[in-house]
Amino acid sequence: MKLLILTNNPERSSFRQRIQMYLKAMEQSGIETAVEAVPRSLPRRWKVYARAREFDGVLLHKKGLHLLDAPVLRRCARALIFTYDDAVWLNHKHPERISRPRLVPWRRSVRTADMVIVGSQYLAEFGRAFNAQVRVVPIGLRVGDYRSAVPKPADRKVRLVWIGSKSTLTYLREIRAAIEELGKRHPHLVLRQIGDAFFDLDSMPVEKFQWSADKRGEYLSACDVGLAPLPDNPYTRGKCSFKVLEYAAAGLPVVASPVGTNSDYILHGQTGFLASSHEDWIKYAGDLIQEESLRLRMGAAAQAHAAQYDISAIGDQLCSII
């Protein structure tokens, strides 16, 4: 089978996590792939769409189709699959309002496709309003990449950790008051931030690590408790919680907001805790900070739970659907 994969940007993290890491699995399943970035120019886009005639199918990644594009791609593609892993019909800066410039192209892509693949049941519910053939494939990761042989620091500090980008750092800021309170109660506490932007705290040291694909497993495994705060709104409910799986794969218990797929990936009281309030963040994180045995037990359970999301399993599921 020959599959043409179309995306706006093959460098974006969504493409790496949802498509790129499965290209080898596709090849092993007999799916020959070619990746094309969709050009901005209309004539050049149509030229790329015309290439679909050479393939058995097209996988359209997170691309809302223009009114003139949809019929062209539909005529050229023998089969069309649309995939997305965020609430792409909303503007994350104004999540309470429907964004027509985002909604209409997204809806057009969903309606035009033969099948839709999404990362969560929440995303699937919205897609099924316009296409009955919607499948859920959870996000996956290479679990082995997070099992570092590097020993933890010998300074007897307890390290909270957050990993993410500048665009999501605001979510961590929203629980700053709870983190500051934890720092006042536990003098041996450190916050490690892994990303491309950072902020300081008054009550504890902050370790700032630039995100690196090669080093992130090592950076995480040196820590003790993963943090995954999210505000609850229509946009964040579509989040697929990749960082939660990263923490778990690194053997860390997680404290997270019960938003998006956090509630799916965390077994409350077994692999981590779901915190709904300021008091919850202080209590659950505080318990893990104080009790090393609890951290170790939950971290081991989290790592075992994360194994079901390894790309070997998720890749088989994705290839079977395609």
Short mmCIF file of all heavy atoms in Angstrom, two decimals, residues 129-191:
data_model
loop_
_atom_site.label_atom_id
_atom_site.label_comp_id
_atom_site.label_asym_id
_atom_site.label_seq_id
_atom_site.Cartn_x
_atom_site.Cartn_y
_atom_site.Cartn_z
N ALA A 129 -19.94 14.27 14.93
CA ALA A 129 -21.08 15.09 14.52
C ALA A 129 -21.09 15.30 13.01
O ALA A 129 -22.13 15.63 12.43
CB ALA A 129 -21.03 16.44 15.24
N PHE A 130 -19.93 15.07 12.35
CA PHE A 130 -19.80 15.34 10.91
C PHE A 130 -19.28 14.14 10.11
O PHE A 130 -19.23 14.20 8.89
CB PHE A 130 -18.87 16.54 10.69
CG PHE A 130 -19.25 17.73 11.51
CD1 PHE A 130 -18.52 18.10 12.62
CD2 PHE A 130 -20.36 18.49 11.18
CE1 PHE A 130 -18.87 19.20 13.39
CE2 PHE A 130 -20.73 19.59 11.94
CZ PHE A 130 -19.98 19.94 13.04
N ASN A 131 -18.88 13.07 10.81
CA ASN A 131 -18.37 11.88 10.11
C ASN A 131 -18.54 10.69 11.05
O ASN A 131 -18.02 10.69 12.17
CB ASN A 131 -16.90 12.07 9.74
CG ASN A 131 -16.38 10.98 8.81
OD1 ASN A 131 -16.68 9.81 8.96
ND2 ASN A 131 -15.58 11.38 7.84
N ALA A 132 -19.24 9.67 10.59
CA ALA A 132 -19.50 8.51 11.45
C ALA A 132 -18.29 7.62 11.64
O ALA A 132 -18.22 6.83 12.59
CB ALA A 132 -20.66 7.69 10.86
N GLN A 133 -17.32 7.73 10.72
CA GLN A 133 -16.15 6.85 10.76
C GLN A 133 -14.99 7.53 11.50
O GLN A 133 -14.03 8.00 10.89
CB GLN A 133 -15.73 6.46 9.34
CG GLN A 133 -16.79 5.72 8.55
CD GLN A 133 -17.19 4.41 9.22
OE1 GLN A 133 -16.35 3.69 9.75
NE2 GLN A 133 -18.48 4.10 9.18
N VAL A 134 -15.09 7.59 12.82
CA VAL A 134 -14.05 8.19 13.65
C VAL A 134 -13.45 7.11 14.54
O VAL A 134 -14.18 6.36 15.19
CB VAL A 134 -14.60 9.34 14.52
CG1 VAL A 134 -13.50 9.93 15.39
CG2 VAL A 134 -15.21 10.43 13.63
N ARG A 135 -12.13 7.03 14.55
CA ARG A 135 -11.41 6.05 15.36
C ARG A 135 -10.50 6.79 16.35
O ARG A 135 -9.92 7.81 16.01
CB ARG A 135 -10.55 5.13 14.50
CG ARG A 135 -11.33 4.37 13.43
CD ARG A 135 -12.19 3.27 14.06
NE ARG A 135 -12.83 2.46 13.04
CZ ARG A 135 -14.00 2.73 12.49
NH1 ARG A 135 -14.68 3.81 12.88
NH2 ARG A 135 -14.52 1.94 11.57
N VAL A 136 -10.36 6.24 17.55
CA VAL A 136 -9.49 6.82 18.57
C VAL A 136 -8.21 6.00 18.66
O VAL A 136 -8.25 4.79 18.90
CB VAL A 136 -10.18 6.86 19.95
CG1 VAL A 136 -9.22 7.41 21.01
CG2 VAL A 136 -11.44 7.71 19.89
N VAL A 137 -7.08 6.66 18.45
CA VAL A 137 -5.77 6.05 18.64
C VAL A 137 -5.03 6.92 19.64
O VAL A 137 -4.66 8.06 19.33
CB VAL A 137 -4.97 5.97 17.32
CG1 VAL A 137 -3.58 5.39 17.58
CG2 VAL A 137 -5.72 5.11 16.29
N PRO A 138 -4.79 6.43 20.86
CA PRO A 138 -4.12 7.27 21.85
C PRO A 138 -2.69 7.61 21.44
O PRO A 138 -2.09 6.92 20.60
CB PRO A 138 -4.13 6.41 23.12
CG PRO A 138 -4.39 5.03 22.65
CD PRO A 138 -5.14 5.11 21.37
N ILE A 139 -2.19 8.67 22.00
CA ILE A 139 -0.82 9.07 21.72
C ILE A 139 0.13 8.01 22.30
O ILE A 139 -0.18 7.35 23.29
CB ILE A 139 -0.54 10.47 22.32
CG1 ILE A 139 0.65 11.11 21.64
CG2 ILE A 139 -0.38 10.41 23.82
CD1 ILE A 139 0.74 12.61 21.90
N GLY A 140 1.26 7.82 21.64
CA GLY A 140 2.23 6.83 22.10
C GLY A 140 3.62 7.43 22.24
O GLY A 140 3.86 8.57 21.85
N LEU A 141 4.52 6.65 22.79
CA LEU A 141 5.91 7.10 22.95
C LEU A 141 6.82 5.90 23.04
O LEU A 141 6.37 4.77 23.25
CB LEU A 141 6.06 7.99 24.18
CG LEU A 141 6.08 7.34 25.57
CD1 LEU A 141 6.42 8.41 26.62
CD2 LEU A 141 4.80 6.64 25.92
N ARG A 142 8.11 6.13 22.82
CA ARG A 142 9.10 5.07 22.99
C ARG A 142 9.45 4.98 24.46
O ARG A 142 10.26 5.75 24.98
CB ARG A 142 10.35 5.36 22.16
CG ARG A 142 10.13 5.35 20.65
CD ARG A 142 11.45 5.54 19.92
NE ARG A 142 11.26 5.57 18.48
CZ ARG A 142 11.01 6.67 17.78
NH1 ARG A 142 10.93 7.85 18.40
NH2 ARG A 142 10.85 6.61 16.48
N VAL A 143 8.85 4.04 25.15
CA VAL A 143 9.03 3.94 26.59
C VAL A 143 10.50 3.78 26.96
O VAL A 143 10.98 4.36 27.93
CB VAL A 143 8.19 2.76 27.15
CG1 VAL A 143 8.51 2.52 28.62
CG2 VAL A 143 6.69 3.05 26.98
N GLY A 144 11.24 3.03 26.15
CA GLY A 144 12.65 2.79 26.44
C GLY A 144 13.50 4.05 26.44
O GLY A 144 14.55 4.09 27.08
N ASP A 145 13.05 5.08 25.73
CA ASP A 145 13.82 6.33 25.68
C ASP A 145 13.87 7.04 27.03
O ASP A 145 14.70 7.93 27.23
CB ASP A 145 13.20 7.30 24.66
CG ASP A 145 13.44 6.86 23.22
OD1 ASP A 145 14.18 5.89 23.01
OD2 ASP A 145 12.88 7.50 22.31
N TYR A 146 13.00 6.65 27.95
CA TYR A 146 12.90 7.36 29.23
C TYR A 146 13.50 6.56 30.39
O TYR A 146 13.43 6.99 31.54
CB TYR A 146 11.43 7.69 29.51
CG TYR A 146 10.86 8.63 28.48
CD1 TYR A 146 10.31 8.14 27.29
CD2 TYR A 146 10.90 10.00 28.66
CE1 TYR A 146 9.82 9.00 26.33
CE2 TYR A 146 10.40 10.87 27.70
CZ TYR A 146 9.86 10.35 26.54
OH TYR A 146 9.36 11.22 25.58
N ARG A 147 14.08 5.42 30.09
CA ARG A 147 14.70 4.60 31.14
C ARG A 147 16.20 4.86 31.14
O ARG A 147 16.99 4.16 30.51
CB ARG A 147 14.39 3.13 30.89
CG ARG A 147 12.91 2.83 31.10
CD ARG A 147 12.55 1.40 30.78
NE ARG A 147 11.13 1.14 31.07
CZ ARG A 147 10.47 0.07 30.67
NH1 ARG A 147 11.09 -0.85 29.94
NH2 ARG A 147 9.21 -0.09 30.97
N SER A 148 16.59 5.89 31.85
CA SER A 148 17.98 6.33 31.87
C SER A 148 18.78 5.58 32.92
O SER A 148 18.29 5.30 34.02
CB SER A 148 18.05 7.84 32.15
OG SER A 148 19.38 8.25 32.32
N ALA A 149 20.03 5.26 32.58
CA ALA A 149 20.93 4.60 33.52
C ALA A 149 21.68 5.61 34.38
O ALA A 149 22.43 5.24 35.27
CB ALA A 149 21.93 3.73 32.76
N VAL A 150 21.49 6.91 34.11
CA VAL A 150 22.16 7.95 34.87
C VAL A 150 21.55 8.02 36.27
O VAL A 150 20.33 8.15 36.42
CB VAL A 150 22.04 9.32 34.17
CG1 VAL A 150 22.68 10.41 35.01
CG2 VAL A 150 22.66 9.25 32.78
N PRO A 151 22.37 7.92 37.34
CA PRO A 151 21.81 7.94 38.71
C PRO A 151 21.24 9.31 39.07
O PRO A 151 21.63 10.34 38.51
CB PRO A 151 23.02 7.60 39.59
CG PRO A 151 24.21 8.01 38.79
CD PRO A 151 23.83 7.78 37.35
N LYS A 152 20.30 9.30 40.00
CA LYS A 152 19.76 10.56 40.49
C LYS A 152 20.83 11.36 41.22
O LYS A 152 21.78 10.79 41.75
CB LYS A 152 18.58 10.30 41.44
CG LYS A 152 17.31 9.78 40.77
CD LYS A 152 16.22 9.58 41.81
CE LYS A 152 14.95 9.00 41.20
NZ LYS A 152 14.21 9.98 40.42
N PRO A 153 20.72 12.68 41.28
CA PRO A 153 21.68 13.50 42.02
C PRO A 153 21.76 13.05 43.48
O PRO A 153 20.76 12.62 44.08
CB PRO A 153 21.11 14.91 41.92
CG PRO A 153 20.27 14.89 40.68
CD PRO A 153 19.70 13.50 40.60
N ALA A 154 22.94 13.14 44.07
CA ALA A 154 23.17 12.67 45.44
C ALA A 154 22.98 13.78 46.47
O ALA A 154 23.47 13.67 47.60
CB ALA A 154 24.57 12.08 45.54
N ASP A 155 22.27 14.84 46.12
CA ASP A 155 22.14 15.98 47.03
C ASP A 155 20.95 15.88 47.98
O ASP A 155 20.68 16.79 48.75
CB ASP A 155 22.04 17.28 46.22
CG ASP A 155 20.88 17.27 45.22
OD1 ASP A 155 20.05 16.34 45.26
OD2 ASP A 155 20.81 18.20 44.38
N ARG A 156 20.22 14.75 47.91
CA ARG A 156 19.07 14.48 48.78
C ARG A 156 17.94 15.50 48.61
O ARG A 156 17.08 15.65 49.48
CB ARG A 156 19.49 14.40 50.25
CG ARG A 156 20.54 13.32 50.52
CD ARG A 156 20.81 13.16 52.00
NE ARG A 156 19.65 12.66 52.71
CZ ARG A 156 19.26 11.39 52.75
NH1 ARG A 156 19.96 10.46 52.09
NH2 ARG A 156 18.20 11.03 53.44
N LYS A 157 17.93 16.19 47.48
CA LYS A 157 16.82 17.08 47.15
C LYS A 157 15.69 16.27 46.53
O LYS A 157 15.92 15.24 45.89
CB LYS A 157 17.27 18.16 46.17
CG LYS A 157 18.41 19.05 46.65
CD LYS A 157 17.93 20.05 47.68
CE LYS A 157 19.04 21.05 48.00
NZ LYS A 157 18.61 22.04 49.02
N VAL A 158 14.47 16.74 46.68
CA VAL A 158 13.32 16.17 45.98
C VAL A 158 12.99 17.12 44.83
O VAL A 158 12.78 18.32 45.04
CB VAL A 158 12.11 16.01 46.91
CG1 VAL A 158 10.88 15.55 46.11
CG2 VAL A 158 12.41 15.00 48.01
N ARG A 159 12.95 16.56 43.63
CA ARG A 159 12.76 17.38 42.44
C ARG A 159 11.37 17.19 41.85
O ARG A 159 11.03 16.10 41.38
CB ARG A 159 13.83 17.05 41.39
CG ARG A 159 15.18 17.65 41.72
CD ARG A 159 16.29 17.18 40.80
NE ARG A 159 17.48 18.00 40.99
CZ ARG A 159 18.33 17.83 42.02
NH1 ARG A 159 18.13 16.86 42.90
NH2 ARG A 159 19.38 18.64 42.14
N LEU A 160 10.60 18.27 41.87
CA LEU A 160 9.40 18.33 41.05
C LEU A 160 9.85 18.68 39.64
O LEU A 160 10.87 19.34 39.45
CB LEU A 160 8.45 19.42 41.56
CG LEU A 160 8.07 19.40 43.04
CD1 LEU A 160 7.17 20.59 43.37
CD2 LEU A 160 7.37 18.10 43.39
N VAL A 161 9.10 18.24 38.63
CA VAL A 161 9.51 18.54 37.25
C VAL A 161 8.30 18.85 36.39
O VAL A 161 7.21 18.28 36.58
CB VAL A 161 10.33 17.36 36.64
CG1 VAL A 161 9.49 16.09 36.55
CG2 VAL A 161 10.90 17.75 35.28
N TRP A 162 8.50 19.77 35.48
CA TRP A 162 7.50 20.10 34.45
C TRP A 162 8.23 20.17 33.12
O TRP A 162 9.32 20.75 33.02
CB TRP A 162 6.85 21.45 34.75
CG TRP A 162 5.84 21.87 33.72
CD1 TRP A 162 4.51 21.57 33.70
CD2 TRP A 162 6.08 22.69 32.56
NE1 TRP A 162 3.91 22.13 32.60
CE2 TRP A 162 4.85 22.82 31.88
CE3 TRP A 162 7.21 23.30 32.03
CZ2 TRP A 162 4.72 23.54 30.70
CZ3 TRP A 162 7.09 24.02 30.85
CH2 TRP A 162 5.85 24.14 30.20
N ILE A 163 7.65 19.57 32.08
CA ILE A 163 8.21 19.62 30.74
C ILE A 163 7.17 20.19 29.80
O ILE A 163 5.98 19.85 29.89
CB ILE A 163 8.69 18.21 30.28
CG1 ILE A 163 9.44 18.31 28.95
CG2 ILE A 163 7.55 17.22 30.20
CD1 ILE A 163 10.15 17.00 28.56
N GLY A 164 7.60 21.07 28.91
CA GLY A 164 6.65 21.67 27.98
C GLY A 164 7.28 22.82 27.21
O GLY A 164 8.48 23.07 27.31
N SER A 165 6.46 23.51 26.46
CA SER A 165 6.93 24.60 25.61
C SER A 165 6.50 25.94 26.18
O SER A 165 5.70 26.02 27.12
CB SER A 165 6.38 24.44 24.19
OG SER A 165 4.96 24.57 24.21
N LYS A 166 7.01 27.01 25.58
CA LYS A 166 6.66 28.36 26.00
C LYS A 166 5.15 28.58 25.96
O LYS A 166 4.58 29.25 26.82
CB LYS A 166 7.37 29.37 25.11
CG LYS A 166 7.14 30.82 25.46
CD LYS A 166 7.91 31.75 24.53
CE LYS A 166 7.69 33.21 24.89
NZ LYS A 166 8.45 34.12 24.00
N SER A 167 4.50 27.99 24.97
CA SER A 167 3.06 28.21 24.80
C SER A 167 2.23 27.59 25.93
O SER A 167 1.09 27.99 26.17
CB SER A 167 2.59 27.66 23.45
OG SER A 167 2.76 26.25 23.40
N THR A 168 2.77 26.59 26.62
CA THR A 168 2.04 25.93 27.70
C THR A 168 2.58 26.26 29.09
O THR A 168 2.05 25.77 30.08
CB THR A 168 2.02 24.40 27.50
OG1 THR A 168 3.38 23.92 27.43
CG2 THR A 168 1.31 24.03 26.22
N LEU A 169 3.65 27.07 29.15
CA LEU A 169 4.22 27.42 30.44
C LEU A 169 3.21 28.16 31.32
O LEU A 169 3.27 28.09 32.54
CB LEU A 169 5.47 28.30 30.23
CG LEU A 169 6.32 28.61 31.47
CD1 LEU A 169 6.89 27.34 32.09
CD2 LEU A 169 7.45 29.58 31.11
N THR A 170 2.26 28.83 30.68
CA THR A 170 1.23 29.54 31.44
C THR A 170 0.43 28.59 32.32
O THR A 170 -0.06 28.97 33.40
CB THR A 170 0.29 30.31 30.49
OG1 THR A 170 -0.68 31.01 31.25
CG2 THR A 170 -0.44 29.36 29.54
N TYR A 171 0.29 27.32 31.91
CA TYR A 171 -0.43 26.34 32.71
C TYR A 171 0.30 26.07 34.03
O TYR A 171 -0.32 25.88 35.07
CB TYR A 171 -0.62 25.04 31.95
CG TYR A 171 -1.35 25.17 30.63
CD1 TYR A 171 -1.10 24.27 29.59
CD2 TYR A 171 -2.28 26.18 30.42
CE1 TYR A 171 -1.76 24.38 28.38
CE2 TYR A 171 -2.95 26.29 29.21
CZ TYR A 171 -2.69 25.39 28.19
OH TYR A 171 -3.34 25.51 27.00
N LEU A 172 1.62 26.02 33.97
CA LEU A 172 2.40 25.83 35.19
C LEU A 172 2.29 27.06 36.09
O LEU A 172 2.20 26.95 37.32
CB LEU A 172 3.87 25.55 34.85
CG LEU A 172 4.79 25.27 36.04
CD1 LEU A 172 4.37 23.99 36.75
CD2 LEU A 172 6.25 25.16 35.58
N ARG A 173 2.29 28.24 35.48
CA ARG A 173 2.16 29.48 36.27
C ARG A 173 0.86 29.50 37.06
O ARG A 173 0.79 30.12 38.13
CB ARG A 173 2.21 30.69 35.35
CG ARG A 173 3.58 30.98 34.73
CD ARG A 173 3.49 32.26 33.90
NE ARG A 173 4.70 32.51 33.14
CZ ARG A 173 5.78 33.13 33.61
NH1 ARG A 173 5.78 33.57 34.87
NH2 ARG A 173 6.83 33.34 32.85
N GLU A 174 -0.16 28.85 36.55
CA GLU A 174 -1.46 28.89 37.22
C GLU A 174 -1.47 28.16 38.56
O GLU A 174 -2.36 28.38 39.37
CB GLU A 174 -2.55 28.34 36.29
CG GLU A 174 -2.81 29.25 35.09
CD GLU A 174 -4.03 28.87 34.29
OE1 GLU A 174 -4.78 27.97 34.74
OE2 GLU A 174 -4.27 29.47 33.23
N ILE A 175 -0.49 27.26 38.78
CA ILE A 175 -0.40 26.62 40.09
C ILE A 175 0.83 27.12 40.86
O ILE A 175 1.30 26.47 41.79
CB ILE A 175 -0.37 25.08 39.98
CG1 ILE A 175 0.86 24.59 39.20
CG2 ILE A 175 -1.65 24.55 39.36
CD1 ILE A 175 1.16 23.11 39.43
N ARG A 176 1.32 28.29 40.47
CA ARG A 176 2.51 28.83 41.13
C ARG A 176 2.29 28.99 42.64
O ARG A 176 3.20 28.71 43.44
CB ARG A 176 2.90 30.17 40.51
CG ARG A 176 4.08 30.81 41.20
CD ARG A 176 4.62 32.01 40.47
NE ARG A 176 5.78 32.55 41.18
CZ ARG A 176 6.67 33.37 40.64
NH1 ARG A 176 6.52 33.75 39.37
NH2 ARG A 176 7.69 33.81 41.34
N ALA A 177 1.13 29.46 43.03
CA ALA A 177 0.87 29.66 44.47
C ALA A 177 1.02 28.36 45.24
O ALA A 177 1.59 28.34 46.34
CB ALA A 177 -0.53 30.25 44.67
N ALA A 178 0.53 27.26 44.67
CA ALA A 178 0.66 25.96 45.34
C ALA A 178 2.13 25.52 45.40
O ALA A 178 2.59 24.99 46.42
CB ALA A 178 -0.18 24.91 44.61
N ILE A 179 2.86 25.74 44.31
CA ILE A 179 4.28 25.36 44.29
C ILE A 179 5.07 26.18 45.31
O ILE A 179 5.93 25.65 46.03
CB ILE A 179 4.86 25.53 42.87
CG1 ILE A 179 4.14 24.62 41.88
CG2 ILE A 179 6.36 25.21 42.87
CD1 ILE A 179 4.54 24.86 40.43
N GLU A 180 4.78 27.47 45.39
CA GLU A 180 5.46 28.33 46.36
C GLU A 180 5.17 27.86 47.79
O GLU A 180 6.06 27.83 48.64
CB GLU A 180 5.03 29.78 46.18
CG GLU A 180 5.46 30.43 44.87
CD GLU A 180 6.91 30.91 44.86
OE1 GLU A 180 7.73 30.40 45.66
OE2 GLU A 180 7.21 31.79 44.03
N GLU A 181 3.93 27.48 48.05
CA GLU A 181 3.57 26.99 49.38
C GLU A 181 4.32 25.69 49.70
O GLU A 181 4.79 25.49 50.83
CB GLU A 181 2.06 26.77 49.46
CG GLU A 181 1.57 26.27 50.81
CD GLU A 181 1.83 27.25 51.94
OE1 GLU A 181 1.87 28.46 51.70
OE2 GLU A 181 2.00 26.77 53.09
N LEU A 182 4.43 24.81 48.72
CA LEU A 182 5.19 23.57 48.92
C LEU A 182 6.65 23.87 49.24
O LEU A 182 7.26 23.21 50.08
CB LEU A 182 5.08 22.69 47.67
CG LEU A 182 3.72 22.05 47.42
CD1 LEU A 182 3.65 21.48 46.00
CD2 LEU A 182 3.45 20.93 48.44
N GLY A 183 7.20 24.86 48.56
CA GLY A 183 8.59 25.24 48.81
C GLY A 183 8.79 25.76 50.23
O GLY A 183 9.84 25.52 50.85
N LYS A 184 7.82 26.48 50.76
CA LYS A 184 7.91 26.98 52.13
C LYS A 184 7.85 25.84 53.14
O LYS A 184 8.50 25.88 54.19
CB LYS A 184 6.78 27.98 52.39
CG LYS A 184 6.88 29.27 51.59
CD LYS A 184 5.64 30.14 51.79
CE LYS A 184 5.68 31.38 50.91
NZ LYS A 184 4.43 32.18 51.03
N ARG A 185 7.04 24.82 52.82
CA ARG A 185 6.87 23.71 53.76
C ARG A 185 8.01 22.69 53.68
O ARG A 185 8.27 21.97 54.65
CB ARG A 185 5.55 22.99 53.48
CG ARG A 185 4.31 23.85 53.69
CD ARG A 185 3.05 23.03 53.51
NE ARG A 185 1.84 23.84 53.58
CZ ARG A 185 0.60 23.35 53.61
NH1 ARG A 185 0.42 22.03 53.59
NH2 ARG A 185 -0.45 24.16 53.67
N HIS A 186 8.66 22.61 52.52
CA HIS A 186 9.69 21.58 52.31
C HIS A 186 10.96 22.24 51.79
O HIS A 186 11.12 22.44 50.58
CB HIS A 186 9.18 20.54 51.31
CG HIS A 186 7.83 19.96 51.67
ND1 HIS A 186 7.67 19.00 52.64
CD2 HIS A 186 6.58 20.25 51.20
CE1 HIS A 186 6.38 18.70 52.75
NE2 HIS A 186 5.71 19.44 51.88
N PRO A 187 11.91 22.55 52.67
CA PRO A 187 13.11 23.29 52.27
C PRO A 187 14.03 22.54 51.31
O PRO A 187 14.88 23.16 50.67
CB PRO A 187 13.82 23.54 53.62
CG PRO A 187 12.79 23.31 54.67
CD PRO A 187 11.83 22.33 54.11
N HIS A 188 13.85 21.24 51.21
CA HIS A 188 14.73 20.43 50.34
C HIS A 188 14.16 20.25 48.94
O HIS A 188 14.58 19.37 48.19
CB HIS A 188 14.96 19.05 50.97
CG HIS A 188 13.70 18.26 51.18
ND1 HIS A 188 12.62 18.74 51.88
CD2 HIS A 188 13.33 17.00 50.77
CE1 HIS A 188 11.66 17.83 51.91
NE2 HIS A 188 12.07 16.77 51.23
N LEU A 189 13.23 21.12 48.55
CA LEU A 189 12.51 20.97 47.28
C LEU A 189 13.16 21.80 46.17
O LEU A 189 13.66 22.90 46.39
CB LEU A 189 11.07 21.43 47.48
CG LEU A 189 9.99 20.89 46.53
CD1 LEU A 189 9.95 19.38 46.54
CD2 LEU A 189 8.62 21.46 46.93
N VAL A 190 13.15 21.23 44.96
CA VAL A 190 13.65 21.90 43.75
C VAL A 190 12.61 21.71 42.65
O VAL A 190 11.97 20.65 42.57
CB VAL A 190 14.99 21.29 43.29
CG1 VAL A 190 15.43 21.87 41.95
CG2 VAL A 190 16.07 21.52 44.34
N LEU A 191 12.42 22.73 41.83
CA LEU A 191 11.57 22.57 40.64
C LEU A 191 12.47 22.57 39.40
O LEU A 191 13.24 23.50 39.18
CB LEU A 191 10.56 23.71 40.52
CG LEU A 191 9.72 23.69 39.23
CD1 LEU A 191 8.81 22.47 39.17
CD2 LEU A 191 8.89 24.97 39.09
#
